[in-house]
Amino acid sequence: MSGNRFDLIRLVLATAVFAYHAVALTALDPFGPLESGLAVAAELSIQGFFIVSGALVAGSLARSKTVANYTGKRIRRLYPAYATVILIPAVVSLALTGNAAGVARYVGANLVFLNFLSPDLPGLFAEGRFTAVNGALWTLKVEVMFYIALPVIAVLMRAFGRAGWVVLALLYAGGEAWRHLVPVLLQNSQAPELARQLPGQLAFFASGIALWGLWRVAKARPMLFGAVGLLLLAASFAHPYAAPLRAAGLAGTIAAIAFLPGPVLNAARFGDVSYGVYITHFPILQAMIMAGLFVQLGFAAGFTIAALFVFAASFLLWHLIEKPALRPSSHYRQVAS
């Protein structure tokens, strides 16, 4: 697992999503070229997250002695920090409004990853362009569903033996069919939201699992992976019929960045803050907008202050919540030593 840049990649991807949400939430360029361009970057970043997760979590499962051991590692890594960012805004809302029923509804839905059932909190962000407390958390539901499905996928791949790659190919094809055909076949306002749920993300997770299976090859030949990846990625944007190539292209590109010769640039040296950046930035931006700071200071100064808050919160989240929850043998703790 050592000698790669996956920690840096995850941090860059989280920061790209943060930048997009800063522009979208502040309505700096509503539906304009800046917002649209950053939206594409954010979508690619989320898809990249799923690929990296597919690779690293497949590796975690392979190194786990039992499914229970694997499950414990996933819960320790994901849930303590997740619960923290759910509960802190809930406490603030309760203190401001005293609306225990509304807060309980939010906490109950969000603690079990059903964010869409109650995305808002009483007294918070009602006047903003978007009223959700943390609109970035929908991906965590997809992530958890993948964690649950992965042991089953692994069993199927072992059952197929050398033909186990067929399982990944079918998952890839099925995921892309869901992602692209659901909006066409359903033709209602909820179709795009349904299309981006887990079946629609399977191609990215499957590409990550494939990357884990080809880890040594990718590490030995990153230029080849990068060249093929960039070609497929460009093709996926060039024509709608080639859009299903995006997951494979993005996986190859990520592999090249991770394994190309040169300094590793350990982005987690002082703390693995990428997860924190992803799950804290949205409510911090919302709070700053609610306080009128972006209006008073302007976007550039507001974004700079938001970045300071986000990285400070992520650093504290890592050292106070995430790191203590992990086992001493955890890769995340080791790289941050």
Side-chain angles (χ1 to χ4, degrees):
M1 288 292 294
S2 60
N4 61 67
R5 301 183 186 88
F6 280 104
D7 293 324
L8 176 63
I9 291 169
R10 288 188 298 115
L11 182 57
V12 171
L13 296 178
T15 303
V17 177
F18 166 36
Y20 163 64
H21 282 147
V23 170
L25 290 173
T26 58
L28 178 66
D29 182 38
F31 308 109
L34 177 62
E35 182 174 295
S36 299
L38 286 174
V40 173
E43 181 183 21
L44 283 174
S45 295
I46 290 169
Q47 293 166 347
F49 265 125
F50 291 148
I51 290 169
V52 172
S53 180
L56 299 185
V57 177
S60 175
L61 178 62
R63 293 187 300 272
S64 300
K65 295 180 180 179
T66 64
V67 173
N69 177 253
Y70 157 79
T71 302
K73 289 191 291 185
R74 291 300 93 214
I75 292 173
R76 288 169 179 267
R77 181 66 187 105
L78 185 81
Y79 202 72
Y82 176 85
T84 300
V85 300
I86 296 299
L87 293 175
I88 289 176
V91 170
V92 173
S93 172
L94 186 62
L96 289 175
T97 68
N99 187 338
V103 171
R105 187 162 50 249
Y106 172 84
V107 170
N110 283 268
L111 284 180
V112 293
F113 301 99
L114 299 178
N115 320 90
F116 63 94
L117 292 179
S118 185
D120 304 337
L121 270 170
L124 295 182
F125 320 138
E127 304 302 320
R129 183 184 182 194
F130 301 101
T131 60
V133 176
N134 200 332
L137 295 186
W138 71 270
T139 63
L140 275 297
K141 171 176 76 278
V142 177
E143 188 89 0
V144 168
M145 292 171 70
F146 169 68
Y147 292 168
I148 295 169
L150 182 59
V152 178
I153 295 171
V155 168
L156 289 174
M157 291 183 69
R158 284 196 295 271
F160 274 72
R162 292 185 177 181
W165 291 98
V166 173
V167 175
L168 292 184
L170 290 174
L171 290 174
Y172 190 113
E176 288 302 277
W178 180 278
R179 189 163 72 96
H180 293 288
L181 294 180
V182 163
V184 175
L185 297 177
L186 290 187
Q187 294 186 347
N188 66 50
S189 60
Q190 297 302 313
E193 181 66 26
L194 185 61
R196 69 175 186 167
Q197 300 309 311
L198 180 61
Q201 306 297 343
L202 272 177
F204 301 98
F205 285 118
S207 295
I209 299 170
L211 179 54
W212 169 252
L214 296 169
W215 192 272
R216 292 183 180 179
V217 181
K219 198 168 185 178
R221 307 186 71 179
M223 291 293 290
L224 175 61
F225 273 69
V228 175
L230 286 172
L231 180 64
L232 295 178
L233 189 59
S236 75
F237 283 99
H239 197 283
Y241 288 165
L245 299 175
R246 184 164 304 164
L250 195 54
T253 304
I254 287 172
I257 295 170
F259 295 125
L260 278 172
V264 172
L265 303 173
N266 183 5
R269 176 67 183 275
F270 302 107
D272 188 0
V273 300
S274 59
Y275 180 43
V277 170
Y278 187 79
I279 63 175
T280 65
H281 75 268
F282 203 100
I284 287 174
L285 286 168
Q286 288 282 60
M288 289 183 60
I289 293 166
M290 182 178 173
L293 293 179
F294 277 92
V295 173
Q296 295 172 22
L297 302 174
F299 181 82
F303 181 77
T304 301
I305 293 172
L308 292 174
F309 280 144
V310 167
F311 279 94
S314 302
F315 184 81
L316 291 173
L317 192 65
W318 166 255
H319 286 282
L320 298 179
I321 304 295
E322 296 176 71
K323 185 178 178 181
L326 298 172
R327 295 190 177 101
S329 60
S330 168
H331 160 77
Y332 299 101
R333 290 191 69 153
Q334 291 174 358
V335 297
S337 299

